[in-house]
Amino acid sequence: DAGITQSPRHKVTETGTPVTLRCHQTENHRYMYWYRQDPGHGLRLIHYSYGVKDTDKGEVSDGYSVSRSKTEDFLLTLESATSSQTSVYFCAISDRIGTANTEAFFGQGTRLTVV
Amino acid sequence: GESVGLHLPTLSVQEGDNSIINCAYSNSASDYFIWYKQESGKGPQFIIDIRSNMDKRQGQRVTVLLNKTVKHLSLQIAATQPGDSAVYFCAEKAGGGNKLTFGTGTQLKVEL
C-alpha cells in the first residue's frame, strides 16, 4: 500500500471524547489527505496538507482538525467525537497529482465508531 | 482493511463479458481524472488515469473514455474476471489544485 500506515485500524469511542487518528508514510510524498467514506457519499475530503505545517480544509472539515509536524506523519483529531463522525477514514498521499505517475495512494482505512 | 456497506448502483456482468462503468463529473475546470478500484476491506487502488487533453487511454484490459462536452467519463473492462468484482470510483482534479473529488461509486459484480 505504497508505504502508508494508518493507526489504529479500529476504534470505538464514546460521544464527547477526543480521538486522534494517525497516518504515517515512508514515501516522502509532499501531499497528505484525510478522507471519510460513508454509504451514499463515496469518499469526501476532510483536510489535506501540502507540506509540513501547511494544511487546508476540505469539503467536510467541521469537527475535525489536523496537524503535520513532520513530512511522514499527518494526524486527524476529532476534538469531541459525535455519532455523525462514525465512518471509515482513509489517509492518502501524493506528489503533484496529474504529472507523470503521481496519482494518490491510499491506506487501508480506520473504522471509527462513536457510541 | 476497511470498507463500508455502500448503497451503490450495481452492475452485474457475466465472467468473460465486457463491463462499462460510467461517471458524470461536475467541474468543467477539472483537468485530470482517475479511476480507482476498491475491494472489500481495502483502500482504493489506482487503475488508470487520463488528462483532459485526451479522450481515450488504454491500459491492460482497461480503457478510459473522456467526453468533456457532456462531462462524462467511462471505464471499460475487457473480458471481466471474478477478481474485477469491487467498487469502482471516478475521481477528478480541478485545474490548479491538488485535491481529488470522488464520485459515489459503482459496485461491479461478476457472475460465474
Side-chain angles (χ1 to χ4, degrees):
Chain A
D1 293 312
I4 307 170
T5 304
Q6 291 186 230
S7 59
R9 298 295 308 281
H10 302 268
K11 186 170 182 65
V12 179
T13 192
E14 293 185 349
T15 299
T17 60
V19 177
T20 295
L21 308 183
R22 181 181 183 239
C23 178
H24 179 78
Q25 62 149 328
T26 58
E27 305 296 320
N28 200 37
H29 282 327
R30 175 182 175 187
Y31 298 89
M32 298 186 75
Y33 314 81
W34 277 107
Y35 286 86
R36 60 178 289 174
Q37 188 173 34
D38 304 288
H41 291 280
L43 289 145
R44 292 181 293 173
L45 183 64
I46 304 171
H47 282 280
Y48 69 103
S49 170
Y50 47 97
V52 173
K53 298 191 187 320
D54 292 323
T55 65
D56 205 352
K57 296 179 180 180
E59 61 180 300
V60 289
S61 60
D62 287 348
Y64 302 94
S65 63
V66 290
S67 66
R68 190 165 178 206
S69 58
K70 299 184 290 184
T71 298
E72 57 266 35
D73 290 325
F74 193 34
L75 304 180
L76 176 70
T77 297
L78 291 65
E79 299 291 348
S80 177
T82 67
S83 59
S84 65
Q85 293 176 311
T86 293
S87 187
V88 179
Y89 292 85
F90 286 97
C91 174
I93 63 174
S94 78
D95 281 319
R96 187 71 188 167
I97 292 177
T99 59
N101 302 318
T102 54
E103 70 271 20
F105 302 93
F106 284 81
Q108 289 280 60
T110 296
R111 180 174 291 276
L112 176 67
T113 303
V114 183
V115 298
Chain B
E2 298 301 330
S3 64
V4 292
L6 299 169
H7 306 295
L8 297 169
T10 299
L11 174 65
S12 294
V13 299
Q14 293 290 320
E15 182 180 6
D17 287 351
N18 296 334
S19 303
I20 299 177
I21 300 171
N22 296 303
C23 175
Y25 65 94
S26 56
N27 191 345
S28 57
S30 292
D31 63 358
Y32 179 68
F33 304 86
I34 304 178
W35 279 100
Y36 280 92
K37 173 186 180 183
Q38 186 178 26
E39 297 176 286
S40 181
K42 296 184 178 181
Q45 293 182 296
F46 172 88
I47 302 174
I48 191 168
D49 59 358
I50 189 167
R51 291 184 177 80
S52 59
N53 61 353
M54 304 170 69
D55 53 20
K56 180 178 180 179
R57 191 168 188 218
Q58 290 184 289
Q60 186 178 13
R61 280 202 308 120
V62 294
T63 300
V64 55
L65 299 177
L66 174 63
N67 185 331
K68 295 182 289 295
T69 301
V70 295
K71 297 205 283 278
H72 184 268
L73 197 65
S74 68
L75 176 70
Q76 300 178 0
I77 304 174
T80 311
Q81 302 169 359
D84 295 326
S85 292
V87 177
Y88 290 81
F89 292 96
C90 65
E92 61 184 294
K93 182 187 81 69
N98 209 65
K99 300 178 289 183
L100 291 174
T101 300
F102 284 79
T104 53
T106 297
Q107 175 86 54
L108 176 64
K109 293 186 177 180
V110 181
E111 299 170 349
L112 303 178

